[in-house]
Amino acid sequence: MSFRVRVFALILLVAVAATAATAWLTLRQVTGQLRESAAADRESVTRITEELRAYGANRGTWDGIAPTVLALAEETGQRIRVGTDRQGQIADSDVLLGRDPRPGGTAPALLVDARPVLEIPEHFDPASMPKVTASVIRSYDSGVTYAACLTRVGHKVTVLRGKFGMPLFQDGGKAPGGVLDNAPCTEDRTSGARAADVAATQACRSEQAAEVLACLRRVFTERTAAVAPQPLTVRLGAVDDAGQSLAAGPTAVVAAGVAAAALACALLLSRAVLRPVRALTAASRGLGEGDLGRRVPASGRDEIGELGRSFNRMADSLQDSEERQRRLVGDIAHELRTPLANLRGYLEALQDGVLEADAELLDSLHEEVLLQQRIVDDLQDLALAEAGALTYHRRTLDGRELVEACRTAHSARAAAAGVALDVAGAGPGTVRLHGDPDRLRQALGNLVGNAVRHTAPGGGVRLELTEEAGLVRIAVRDTGSGIPAADLPYLFDRFWRADAARGRATGGSGLGLSIARQIVADHGGDVEVTSEVGVGSVFTVVLPA
């Protein structure tokens, strides 16, 4: 499993665990608190409606209810508004508490009916029930009117339970001033039913006692509506009520648990990551100090393992580069030491008078100097090319002219070596290139020179020019000794030569192929090589048309 997938899986696991824990805790808290809130709301609503109903039933009026509304709002924390259809709004707890009235909540209004319910014992004769009901109506009218009057003048009303579920109202207290008024209210004690009430109740005669009772209760409500307290509309709540908040304690515990789990996972992950990173750090420090043999254990198929393998490949490359650099220094020293030693010997012999400066000796010395100059020039060209500082003068040129110029430049050398040098392929003007003709001739010349040098007398070297699929191919094909397959990867290394003894008869400085490949690469191309021992080699320069 890759490191990225492991990190993603770990993060996903932590996220899922945290989400699940938070969701479970939130659901548990919300469910519990909603139950508690619903129970508390039901209890508050029940208390508010019962106290308001008791107020209306005991006083026969809603006058003076504001203190009761204020007390209930303070005790329950509810915003309470009460009113009737006839009187409109009677009291608002926001106003009573000195606040600006807030918009009402969305809860439906409650209806509080303080009127008593007619109760008739089962043993009563249904035939006598209408007449009894008419008397009860007359009695309740006088009693509730008396209770309302006592309430308005500030007297306490004492309520007793009377017959048929009707309250009995009595004057039970002093006025707020502390002085007992002399009969401030008078109760109508006239007995007997009123004719209109009797007529209304007589319409409820029926053979079914239950139907009679239901009808009499309806008549009682209708005939007492003018004096009984009107049904009270109660509206609770406001749009900006804060409501209950979630408890912080359990949330903090779960959050701490999730954080601890995430920390543990992070520690495990960091341990798995930092161990190979520490090994890489130590190995890279060793490489920086010159220990090119340092390697790191690279196991697994994830990114960390791939990083370790890349580091080891880099270390191998550095070690190989260091080895090639040492070889390069040795090769340069070898290439320069022998000719310089020869030059020094001849010059000292001339200085001591041992040899005479004839034309043949001077030509030999001049040839050695030119050889050293060529090596130095090749090194400078290669350094500039690899640094991207080699100057190119590009223009459009004819591919056939390029290969013909190269054949002409090396024909004399090929003839001296007994090697046939010819050109084949596309005709003049058919293949166009864009590049520096001098540098491209230099690259092809290095390839042709090597081919001539490694081809025995009687063999041949051919330059083949073709164009296909937008690419120009210039192949240098020889019938020389060929190159072993094991040597092919090193052909373009600087100073590399198949002849480790570096004899003059088997090769040049070892820089020609490196220079040729770099020049071709700077022209957006590549150099391909195929070879077979005893048959010959083919070096192909591939350039964009």
Side-chain angles (χ1 to χ4, degrees), residues 36-52 72-73 75-80 110 234 236:
E36 295 174 2
S37 178
D41 287 344
R42 286 195 299 270
E43 184 179 351
S44 297
V45 170
T46 301
R47 180 178 177 185
I48 290 170
T49 55
E50 290 301 323
E51 290 202 20
L52 292 177
L72 289 171
E75 292 172 7
T76 62
Q78 294 274 9
R79 188 269 181 97
I80 306 173
L110 304 174
V234 182
L236 303 178

XYZ file of all heavy atoms in Angstrom, residues 36-52 72-73 75-80 110 234 236:
214
model
N -36.216 16.622 28.045
C -36.305 17.461 29.235
C -37.005 18.780 28.922
O -37.840 19.265 29.699
C -34.905 17.731 29.778
C -34.195 16.486 30.280
C -32.764 16.772 30.670
O -32.358 17.956 30.580
O -32.053 15.833 31.056
N -36.643 19.369 27.774
C -37.256 20.646 27.412
C -38.747 20.485 27.164
O -39.555 21.321 27.589
C -36.576 21.203 26.161
O -37.181 22.407 25.759
N -39.117 19.368 26.472
C -40.540 19.150 26.211
C -41.311 18.935 27.510
O -42.415 19.470 27.697
C -40.723 17.954 25.282
N -40.698 18.151 28.426
C -41.362 17.930 29.709
C -41.495 19.227 30.489
O -42.538 19.524 31.083
C -40.579 16.892 30.523
N -40.402 20.024 30.490
C -40.454 21.304 31.202
C -41.472 22.239 30.567
O -42.219 22.943 31.262
C -39.071 21.945 31.215
N -41.524 22.240 29.221
C -42.494 23.095 28.556
C -43.921 22.662 28.878
O -44.806 23.509 29.118
C -42.269 23.066 27.045
C -41.016 23.837 26.653
O -40.523 24.626 27.476
O -40.527 23.638 25.514
N -44.149 21.346 28.872
C -45.486 20.866 29.207
C -45.871 21.247 30.635
O -47.001 21.672 30.900
C -45.556 19.342 29.025
C -45.601 18.895 27.581
C -46.029 17.444 27.482
N -45.098 16.556 28.168
C -44.050 15.996 27.581
N -43.787 16.250 26.302
N -43.259 15.185 28.257
N -44.902 21.104 31.521
C -45.170 21.474 32.921
C -45.449 22.974 33.046
O -46.366 23.401 33.756
C -43.970 21.092 33.785
C -44.174 21.346 35.275
C -42.975 20.921 36.094
O -42.071 20.273 35.524
O -42.931 21.248 37.299
N -44.641 23.776 32.309
C -44.858 25.228 32.367
C -46.210 25.593 31.785
O -46.945 26.418 32.351
C -43.742 25.950 31.602
O -42.487 25.718 32.204
N -46.557 24.991 30.640
C -47.834 25.299 30.000
C -48.989 24.898 30.914
O -49.976 25.644 31.077
C -47.931 24.589 28.639
C -49.341 24.688 28.071
C -46.937 25.186 27.663
N -48.857 23.701 31.501
C -49.924 23.242 32.406
C -50.077 24.195 33.588
O -51.205 24.563 33.982
C -49.611 21.823 32.900
O -49.496 20.958 31.775
C -50.696 21.319 33.829
N -48.958 24.593 34.167
C -49.040 25.490 35.327
C -49.655 26.833 34.943
O -50.496 27.390 35.662
C -47.642 25.702 35.888
C -47.632 26.627 37.101
C -46.254 26.781 37.658
N -46.251 27.717 38.769
C -45.157 28.127 39.402
N -43.973 27.669 39.005
N -45.247 28.972 40.405
N -49.200 27.374 33.783
C -49.716 28.686 33.358
C -51.216 28.610 33.111
O -52.000 29.446 33.600
C -48.969 29.154 32.089
C -47.512 29.508 32.434
C -49.660 30.356 31.465
C -46.644 29.741 31.227
N -51.650 27.600 32.358
C -53.089 27.511 32.031
C -53.922 27.239 33.276
O -55.027 27.812 33.430
C -53.315 26.418 30.982
O -52.759 25.171 31.457
C -52.650 26.788 29.664
N -53.420 26.392 34.180
C -54.197 26.083 35.387
C -54.327 27.302 36.289
O -55.402 27.581 36.843
C -53.558 24.915 36.144
C -53.684 23.569 35.445
C -55.144 23.192 35.220
O -55.991 23.477 36.092
O -55.425 22.633 34.140
N -53.248 28.051 36.456
C -53.328 29.232 37.327
C -54.214 30.310 36.705
O -54.957 31.005 37.417
C -51.926 29.775 37.602
C -51.099 28.871 38.498
C -49.968 29.620 39.193
O -50.047 30.853 39.292
O -49.024 28.954 39.639
N -54.116 30.454 35.373
C -54.980 31.437 34.734
C -56.443 31.000 34.811
O -57.350 31.832 35.039
C -54.563 31.628 33.271
C -53.203 32.284 33.046
C -52.888 32.336 31.564
C -53.173 33.700 33.645
N -46.091 34.547 36.689
C -45.900 33.312 35.914
C -44.750 33.449 34.921
O -43.975 32.501 34.717
C -47.189 32.956 35.184
C -48.347 32.466 36.058
C -49.625 32.356 35.245
C -48.003 31.109 36.691
N -44.594 34.601 34.258
C -43.506 34.802 33.299
C -42.156 34.740 33.990
O -41.188 34.173 33.463
C -43.681 36.146 32.591
N -41.436 33.153 36.797
C -41.183 31.808 37.346
C -40.874 30.790 36.246
O -40.027 29.915 36.431
C -42.396 31.349 38.152
C -42.608 32.163 39.429
C -43.925 31.817 40.108
O -44.581 30.853 39.647
O -44.287 32.496 41.086
N -41.559 30.885 35.118
C -41.382 29.876 34.054
C -40.404 30.316 32.977
O -39.968 29.480 32.173
C -42.740 29.576 33.385
O -43.232 30.777 32.773
C -43.749 29.080 34.423
N -40.060 31.609 32.917
C -39.176 32.098 31.865
C -39.865 32.229 30.517
O -39.194 32.445 29.501
N -41.186 32.111 30.479
C -41.933 32.207 29.230
C -42.386 33.648 28.987
O -42.657 34.399 29.921
C -43.178 31.309 29.280
C -42.863 29.832 29.346
C -42.669 29.229 27.975
O -42.606 29.940 26.975
N -42.557 27.909 27.927
N -42.460 34.017 27.730
C -43.096 35.279 27.367
C -44.590 34.965 27.213
O -44.983 34.123 26.420
C -42.510 35.802 26.063
C -42.955 37.232 25.679
C -44.179 37.238 24.821
N -44.598 38.565 24.431
C -44.299 39.140 23.270
N -43.570 38.491 22.393
N -44.762 40.358 22.994
N -45.466 35.678 27.974
C -46.895 35.358 28.042
C -47.692 36.570 27.589
O -47.477 37.689 28.079
C -47.324 34.960 29.472
C -46.435 33.817 29.997
C -48.790 34.561 29.514
C -46.680 33.468 31.445
N -53.160 29.049 23.058
C -53.897 28.187 23.984
C -55.189 28.895 24.383
O -55.229 30.125 24.494
C -53.055 27.888 25.217
C -51.670 27.266 24.967
C -50.895 27.149 26.265
C -51.821 25.895 24.317
N -54.216 32.510 25.210
C -52.874 32.605 25.802
C -51.847 32.278 24.716
O -51.908 31.199 24.101
C -52.703 31.641 26.992
C -51.328 31.795 27.622
C -53.796 31.895 28.026
N -47.727 31.946 24.022
C -46.446 31.778 24.726
C -45.286 31.892 23.744
O -45.390 31.499 22.579
C -46.386 30.418 25.424
C -47.502 30.113 26.422
C -47.323 28.715 26.999
C -47.526 31.143 27.547
